[in-house]
Amino acid sequence: MVDRAKQLIWIGSSKKDLLSLPLDVRKFFGHALDFAQRGDQHDATKPLKGFGGAGVLEIVEDDAGGTYRAVYTVKFAAAVFVLHCFQKKSKSGIATPKKDMDIIRARLKVAEVLTKELQHG
């Protein structure tokens, strides 16, 4: 049986942002993204609220430096698109800060455009 993993596409500064996170967090996110590429979902992954369903997901990891998130979408068949990687700095509960939600929404639109380009050659 051939294991066909989906392509991983980084939107905006998401890869650079991931590389700025602590090594253990990067490794954890890489492992969880590998699950996504293979059509599975890591236990640390859950739907991101505000996007109506399970098309946009977040991986959450805590370490001594704080809480980190990687947001990706499996909404499009063409690939797994990594939309945003960041350290959650909000002191007001568990909600994702508006600035980060705006980045995610904008990058989701970019992923949609890229998907159409991939489909049409």
Side-chain angles (χ1 to χ4, degrees):
M1 182 173 152
V2 178
D3 190 10
R4 304 217 21 116
K6 282 187 178 182
Q7 182 179 3
L8 194 64
I9 298 177
W10 303 86
I11 304 293
S13 64
S14 59
K15 188 169 188 177
K16 179 177 76 81
D17 297 339
L18 175 78
L19 293 174
S20 72
L21 301 180
L23 179 61
D24 287 345
V25 174
R26 292 193 320 249
K27 286 181 179 180
F28 184 83
F29 285 167
H31 180 67
L33 287 168
D34 183 61
F35 272 58
Q37 286 181 271
R38 298 180 192 290
D40 205 352
Q41 186 173 312
H42 191 277
D43 289 342
T45 302
K46 62 182 182 179
L48 181 61
K49 290 182 178 150
F51 290 91
V56 177
L57 302 146
E58 69 175 336
I59 309 161
V60 179
E61 176 66 346
D62 295 315
D63 90 336
T67 299
Y68 301 88
R69 295 183 179 183
V71 178
Y72 66 94
T73 185
V74 293
K75 197 172 174 177
F76 310 109
V80 173
F81 292 91
V82 182
L83 304 173
H84 194 29
C85 297
F86 61 103
Q87 180 177 6
K88 184 177 176 302
K89 295 181 180 175
S90 171
K91 306 287 188 266
S92 58
I94 61 169
T96 303
K98 181 184 181 322
K99 177 186 82 131
D100 293 303
M101 291 297 281
D102 290 345
I103 290 169
I104 293 163
R105 281 189 187 92
R107 290 181 180 173
L108 186 59
K109 289 177 184 170
V110 170
E112 190 170 357
V113 169
L114 285 174
T115 296
K116 288 176 183 170
E117 289 176 4
L118 288 170
Q119 289 172 342
H120 297 99

